[in-house]
Amino acid sequence: MSQTTLDIVQKLWNLCNILRDDGVTYHQYVTELTYLLFLKMAKETGTEDKLPEGFRWNDLEDHARASDLLYYKELLLHLGTEGSRITREIFSGASTFIRKPATLAQLVAAIDALDWYSAKREGLGELYEGLLEKNASEKKSGAGQYFTPRVLIDVMVELMKPQLGEIIQDPAAGTGGFLIGAYHYLYNHHDFDAFSNEQFERVQRQFYGMEFVHDAYRLALMNLMLHDLEADGDIGIRFGDTLSSDGESLPKADLILTNPPFGTKKGGGLPTRDDFTYPTSNKQLAFLQHIYRSLKPGGRAAVVLPDNVLFESGVGRDIRRDLMDKCDLHTILRLPTGIFYAQGVKTNVLFFTKKSDAAKGTTQAVWIYDLRANMPQFGKRTVLTHEHFKAFIDAYGDDPNGRADRTDQGETGHFRRFSREDIAARDDSLDIAWLKDDSATDAADLPEPEALAREAMLELEGVFEDLKELMEALGVEELE
């Protein structure tokens, strides 16, 4: 991201101070700015035909100068039902948290005064994604759970090598980062400027996703639209619950890239999908089932998952066995701690390739790369960069399916091979570490209490799942 874009992002973020003075909370900032930016960007890009007359940026400017806050509220309601499909989707159910007409006037004037010539030259998509990243890095915003660090997305995409014509899916789309990352990869490897309109529209229709949180869904629509991932007003991200029957509507994929939400299903209930063999309230395990079942034969996936998915017994063990039967789980990357905004859990990336739903014993060996032991505590002071992944990328090799020549680096190295028999001897646990970690011996380097609490909570959820299974086996329906 260029310095010009960073400067504009910072100016946009500074507008949050105006909103905060009007009582708008952190997690409402970017949603409120998105409504205003959509109108302004439509004017700057010459696409105001998406908006009905009388409800465009110049109209808003006139009413804001006249301290007419009621017009703005009317505008939000009107755009939720009128205009292009993408307009209606972004403004569906929209309402403002602004209470003072003067606040609206300040925001409109400040947005209008930004350097839009430079913003368009650098790319409006980059500008908006920078704003999302800034929001995610602020702990108080709570947005970190919807944002995967750009560098990790880029590494996963680089290793999976998306291809033209492939159906690419993210069943937990958040703000659309993985789909945009895959699109950037295709853009950088093909001359889109030479494509016909029909060819480019086929590219736009390669991308599918689903998001369950309405505000995140709005941000994703805006993000993809600004990155040209819009075909005839249609964007492939849908609003819905992947763990319900909604998820069955997603097309079978050649490539899945995703970072599913952590924790248990809201309310503690089971997914309502009727095609899951192993019901569980653990969202990561449920999403993992969706992912490997949604791949076409020969399809591949790279998925961010917390440690508990690797070691949880009971249904967790059953799902890992099913995954290793149906897919070649060829690589696991143990990620460093502290790389996710507002998350304190330890995470991994699982890389696998689908054989078939009827296959057995597909995984013969799993290669594990430890990028966690003896690494710094990442955060605002120590930023994760592409350079930190270079040794892993070299070890992974050029084949997205993990079939490149590899070398087991032994007990003192970071990359090791574990046969299916080795894993079976560990009760099919994939939580395998062998390096002594000296990186957190100093108390000052220990994770924050919030991070430790999150990790403990995830482990307790796993224990709770095991106890429920035991109770069912004993015929006990509920605790007295």
Side-chain angles (χ1 to χ4, degrees):
M1 194 175 297
S2 72
Q3 188 58 48
T4 300
T5 299
L6 290 173
D7 290 343
I8 298 174
V9 166
Q10 187 59 52
K11 289 178 180 177
L12 279 172
W13 186 251
N14 289 341
L15 299 182
C16 294
N17 294 324
I18 300 173
L19 287 166
R20 187 173 57 192
D21 290 341
D22 200 12
V24 179
T25 62
Y26 271 92
H27 74 274
Q28 297 162 344
Y29 281 178
V30 175
T31 298
E32 193 77 56
L33 288 177
T34 293
Y35 301 146
L36 298 171
L37 288 173
F38 183 90
L39 299 172
K40 178 61 176 173
M41 290 177 173
K43 177 183 177 181
E44 293 297 326
T45 55
T47 56
E48 285 191 304
D49 57 342
K50 299 178 191 295
L51 304 166
E53 292 186 11
F55 295 89
R56 297 174 179 176
W57 179 256
N58 287 347
D59 303 304
L60 176 61
E61 275 193 301
D62 292 341
H63 285 274
R65 280 194 294 266
S67 298
D68 188 355
L69 185 57
L70 287 177
Y71 166 81
Y72 180 52
K73 294 178 179 179
E74 179 189 350
L75 176 146
L76 295 179
L77 289 173
H78 191 73
L79 295 183
T81 57
E82 302 293 332
S84 69
R85 178 179 176 182
I86 187 66
T87 300
R88 297 194 306 271
E89 287 285 300
I90 287 177
F91 287 90
S92 174
S95 61
T96 181
F97 299 100
I98 297 172
R99 295 177 295 182
K100 303 173 186 174
T103 300
L104 177 64
Q106 279 183 277
L107 285 172
V108 170
I111 289 173
D112 197 56
L114 291 174
D115 183 0
W116 288 100
Y117 175 79
S118 296
K120 286 187 288 185
R121 186 182 60 205
E122 299 293 328
L124 295 181
E126 287 292 295
L127 170 63
Y128 190 71
E129 200 168 0
L131 181 62
L132 295 179
E133 184 171 8
K134 180 70 174 174
N135 187 43
S137 69
E138 294 292 331
K139 285 187 176 181
K140 292 180 182 178
S141 76
Q145 60 186 309
Y146 308 121
F147 195 93
T148 305
R150 176 72 174 269
V151 63
L152 178 58
I153 290 175
D154 289 345
V155 167
M156 292 166 64
V157 169
E158 178 183 343
L159 294 175
M160 290 293 95
K161 294 180 169 48
Q163 301 296 310
L164 287 175
E166 291 187 323
I167 297 299
I168 301 169
Q169 182 197 125
D170 182 351
T175 55
F178 278 106
L179 298 180
I180 290 167
Y183 173 78
H184 282 166
Y185 182 92
L186 292 176
Y187 179 87
N188 291 330
H189 286 78
H190 300 277
D191 185 7
F192 281 6
D193 292 336
F195 280 22
S196 66
N197 289 338
E198 183 180 351
Q199 287 175 308
F200 187 60
E201 185 171 313
R202 284 202 296 270
V203 172
Q204 292 171 308
R205 295 191 183 280
Q206 287 185 227
F207 301 90
Y208 293 85
M210 187 162 283
E211 176 51 46
F212 187 45
V213 178
H214 208 153
D215 281 344
Y217 174 63
R218 293 185 211 277
L219 305 185
L221 290 175
M222 181 81 163
N223 205 10
L224 268 68
M225 182 191 74
L226 292 173
H227 284 88
D228 292 325
L229 280 175
E230 177 189 10
D232 293 334
D234 185 23
I235 286 180
I237 287 185
R238 306 167 185 177
F239 178 65
D241 182 2
T242 301
L243 301 184
S244 75
S245 57
D246 296 341
E248 297 178 60
S249 68
L250 288 169
K252 293 288 187 180
D254 299 285
L255 173 60
I256 295 180
L257 298 156
T258 190
N259 176 13
F262 302 151
T264 57
K265 187 166 172 59
K266 193 170 184 180
L270 297 174
T272 55
R273 292 276 290 266
D274 57 12
D275 61 335
F276 283 178
T277 306
Y278 306 102
T280 173
S281 61
N282 181 305
K283 285 193 288 191
Q284 307 96 59
L285 290 170
F287 267 101
L288 182 55
Q289 285 189 88
H290 165 84
I291 292 161
Y292 66 76
R293 289 174 175 275
S294 293
L295 286 173
K296 299 177 183 178
R300 60 204 185 283
V303 186
V304 179
L305 292 166
D307 277 10
N308 72 301
V309 170
L310 303 185
F311 63 72
E312 191 167 309
S313 58
V315 69
R317 179 176 53 236
D318 293 337
I319 290 172
R320 288 194 300 276
R321 287 172 176 167
D322 196 38
L323 168 66
M324 289 188 283
D325 275 341
K326 292 178 169 58
C327 303
D328 178 15
L329 174 60
H330 51 80
T331 311
I332 296 176
L333 171 62
R334 291 169 60 85
L335 289 169
T337 57
I339 67 172
F340 286 98
Y341 304 116
Q343 296 288 359
V345 295
K346 295 177 180 176
T347 53
N348 313 267
V349 184
L350 274 62
F351 300 87
F352 50 89
T353 304
K354 176 78 168 283
K355 185 174 182 182
S356 76
D357 286 323
K360 294 290 183 183
T362 300
T363 299
Q364 298 297 307
V366 180
W367 288 80
I368 300 179
Y369 193 99
D370 192 337
L371 195 62
R372 184 182 305 168
N374 302 312
M375 293 293 285
Q377 282 287 323
F378 290 99
K380 287 188 177 181
R381 286 181 297 179
T382 306
V383 179
L384 185 71
T385 68
H386 191 275
E387 188 64 25
H388 289 110
F389 290 95
K390 187 177 185 307
F392 168 65
I393 294 170
D394 291 342
Y396 186 98
D398 289 334
D399 190 325
N401 297 302
R403 295 173 185 153
D405 291 337
R406 294 174 166 185
T407 302
D408 189 320
Q409 298 174 0
E411 293 185 359
T412 60
H414 285 267
F415 202 33
R416 297 195 63 193
R417 179 185 185 275
F418 295 88
S419 70
R420 186 67 183 85
E421 291 73 24
D422 294 331
I423 295 165
R426 298 169 180 264
D427 199 24
D428 286 315
S429 171
L430 294 166
D431 186 29
I432 302 173
W434 60 93
L435 292 174
K436 181 182 178 184
D437 189 358
D438 298 319
S439 60
T441 54
D442 191 322
D445 293 329
L446 290 173
E448 296 179 4
E450 177 190 357
L452 294 171
R454 286 181 180 273
E455 186 177 348
M457 186 170 66
L458 280 172
E459 291 186 9
L460 287 172
E461 287 172 356
V463 172
F464 180 67
E465 286 288 315
D466 292 344
L467 287 174
K468 281 202 325 186
E469 286 190 28
L470 178 60
M471 289 169 63
E472 290 172 4
L474 295 173
V476 181
E477 293 186 2
E478 60 182 73
L479 291 173
E480 297 296 335

